[in-house]
């Protein structure tokens, strides 16, 4: 009965991507980089004049995120990587729809 009415001890909140108890600095860095690229590409995708930034950052975030997903070690890493990949894809798609990878009027011919 003492446990039923007593105060529960709260454990401090411990945010980590290393749920298996081992450090994964490279995988964590790739996870955060993918998430940041996805966020930047997604936001820039809605700005028409920033189509180049959205396209390039989105493409780098998408392909980098796929590699990060391949080498990831924990479920939390994989969940954040997927969020970054989706944000990168949407940002790149919007950037391409607004003008693509190069400035408007750019041609490869002389």
């Amino acid at each position: 009965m003492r446990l039923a009415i007593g105060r529960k001890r709260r454990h401090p909140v411990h945010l980590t991507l290393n749920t298996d108890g081992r450090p994964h600095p490279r995988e964590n860095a790739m996870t955060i980089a993918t998430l940041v690229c996805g966020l930047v590409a997604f936001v820039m995708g809605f700005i028409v004049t920033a189509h180049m930034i959205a396209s390039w950052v989105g493409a780098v975030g998408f392909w980098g995120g796929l590699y990060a997903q391949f080498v990831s070690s924990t479920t939390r890493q994989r969940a954040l990587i997927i969020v970054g990949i989706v944000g990168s894809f949407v940002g790149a798609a919007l950037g391409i729809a607004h003008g693509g990878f190069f400035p408007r009027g750019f041609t490869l011919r002389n």
Side-chain angles (χ1 to χ4, degrees):
M1 192 66 176
R2 179 175 59 88
L3 294 175
I5 58 174
R7 297 186 111 206
K8 286 186 178 181
R9 288 189 184 185
R10 287 191 173 197
H11 297 288
V13 177
H14 187 68
L15 298 175
T16 182
L17 295 176
N18 302 327
T19 55
D20 60 353
R22 292 183 281 161
H24 305 287
R26 245 179 300 159
E27 290 85 352
N28 290 345
M30 285 191 289
T31 300
I32 299 303
T34 302
L35 196 60
V36 168
C37 284
L39 180 65
V40 170
F42 186 78
V43 169
M44 292 295 150
F46 287 101
I47 303 170
V48 176
T49 56
H51 62 90
M52 285 178 43
I53 297 170
S55 299
W56 283 107
V57 173
V60 168
F62 180 77
W63 292 107
L66 289 179
Y67 179 73
Q69 184 74 3
F70 178 68
V71 299
S72 64
S73 301
T74 64
T75 304
R76 286 187 185 171
Q77 288 173 345
R78 292 181 189 115
L80 289 178
I81 290 169
I82 290 299
V83 171
I85 288 173
V86 170
S88 294
F89 180 81
V90 171
L94 289 171
I96 291 169
H98 289 245
F101 290 96
F102 300 107
R104 293 181 191 259
F106 178 81
T107 59
L108 294 175
R109 293 184 246 166
N110 290 339

